[in-house]
Amino acid sequence: MTTSVFLIEDDLDLGAALNEYLQLSGFSVRWARSGIEFYAALAEDPDFQVAIVDIGLPDQSGLVLADYIRRNSHA
């Protein structure tokens, strides 16, 4: 089974590099560039094992997202 990673990063260059590296390393990656994109993607598919969260997102603190993930995770 492939590990599913949720990448939340607004910087296009950094996000693309992380996304590519993780995929080449065998991970399944979903990438959101803002808190709103994260919540929308999570509503469609809530299953992932690892989250990489940028704390300086444009619309919401990544710390808030990390807390939301922690409180609402089934893992």
Side-chain angles (χ1 to χ4, degrees), residues 38 42 48 51 53 62-75:
F38 164 74
L42 191 63
F48 61 94
V53 184
L63 296 174
V64 172
L65 293 181
D67 187 56
Y68 180 86
I69 293 166
R70 185 181 59 80
R71 292 177 185 270
N72 295 285
S73 173
H74 298 290

